[in-house]
Amino acid sequence: ESGGVPTGPQWFGMSRETTRKVKGGICAMGIFSTLLVYGFVQESIMTQDWGPNVKISSLFLVMCNRITSLSIAVLAILIRGETLKPVAPFQSYLLIAFSNMMATTCQYEALRYVSFPTQTLGKTAKMIPVMIWGTFINKKSYKVKDYLVAFSVTVGTTCFLLLGPVTASKKGSTEVSNDSTTTIIGMLIMVMYLGFDGFTSTWQERLFKSIDV
């Protein structure tokens, strides 16, 4: 922006401010639609009955995910003419890669035990691990109001989940397991997911603030 006035190309005779808002809306729609398809396909793969003694490996799915992401990222870097040389220390990338890999693995694995809507609602509790990691890693301090909001959201989500079935069902089967052991395992995996995912976002924030990545 220059002097508070948005700059950049205009679309179809619209003002730059309107063009910026339209672009933002398109990007937001792209994120929502992509995540919707991603979640649907993810749950379909993990809950599909692939036959006797056939079990989809969460680690294999993570590997496919990372290979695809790496290929697209390298292509984008080459197209934009950016360097492939690491800017941050190698150990910083290693920590993010490990925690992100563990979070994604837990995310896939949890779908064996809890439904996708349950998993999505459970992610709203991410504020708590992010605040905990932010306190230890980035030395952040939060107001009492912030803790109350995070606690209220978590409690509200938990109460909502407890009102109905939370476990996953196999595709092609109308049977939904409400076994308490299955539910507990699914919830424990979700807690692990939230912990690793919270660390990933917190460490990324630290990296971007300390180094021009």
Side-chain angles (χ1 to χ4, degrees):
E1 296 187 0
S2 178
V5 179
T7 59
Q10 297 172 256
W11 287 1
F12 307 108
M14 295 184 293
S15 66
R16 288 189 172 88
E17 175 65 19
T18 303
T19 300
R20 185 181 67 84
K21 292 180 179 179
V22 171
K23 285 182 178 179
I26 293 175
C27 290
M29 290 174 60
I31 292 173
F32 291 136
S33 59
T34 302
L35 289 178
L36 179 63
V37 174
Y38 175 67
F40 174 78
V41 174
Q42 183 181 203
E43 183 180 29
S44 298
I45 292 175
M46 296 304 296
T47 59
Q48 181 71 41
D49 185 3
W50 298 101
N53 302 321
V54 178
K55 183 178 180 181
I56 298 297
S57 170
S58 297
L59 288 174
F60 177 77
L61 291 177
V62 173
M63 183 187 71
C64 294
N65 187 314
R66 294 299 177 263
I67 290 175
T68 304
S69 300
L70 177 63
S71 303
I72 295 175
V74 170
L75 180 62
I77 289 174
L78 294 177
I79 291 175
R80 298 176 63 177
E82 299 178 356
T83 180
L84 291 171
K85 182 180 179 181
V87 179
F90 177 76
Q91 59 267 26
S92 296
Y93 293 111
L94 184 63
L95 283 172
I96 292 176
F98 175 76
S99 62
N100 187 260
M101 182 271 293
M102 291 299 298
T104 308
T105 302
C106 291
Q107 179 179 332
Y108 286 133
E109 198 64 25
L111 288 175
R112 300 187 194 277
Y113 305 96
V114 299
S115 64
F116 182 72
T118 300
Q119 185 187 81
T120 303
L121 283 172
K123 291 178 181 180
T124 59
K126 182 181 175 180
M127 288 185 291
I128 292 181
V130 167
M131 293 172 71
I132 294 174
W133 285 121
T135 301
F136 286 102
I137 296 176
N138 295 334
K139 308 302 180 184
K140 285 187 175 182
S141 59
Y142 299 93
K143 298 179 180 179
V144 176
K145 180 180 69 175
D146 298 326
Y147 287 106
L148 288 176
V149 170
F151 179 76
S152 300
V153 170
T154 303
V155 171
T157 302
T158 303
C159 292
F160 182 82
L161 293 175
L162 292 177
L163 294 177
V166 300
T167 51
S169 60
K170 291 289 184 181
K171 295 295 183 181
S173 172
T174 57
E175 181 180 355
V176 179
S177 171
N178 285 314
D179 182 72
S180 58
T181 302
T182 300
T183 302
I184 292 173
I185 293 175
M187 291 303 181
L188 288 176
I189 296 176
M190 280 302 299
V191 170
M192 293 172 61
Y193 161 77
L194 292 171
F196 283 116
D197 196 47
F199 176 85
T200 301
S201 58
T202 303
W203 195 264
Q204 284 176 333
E205 180 184 9
R206 175 179 176 176
L207 189 63
F208 275 89
K209 286 185 176 181
S210 59
I211 302 174
D212 185 17
V213 179

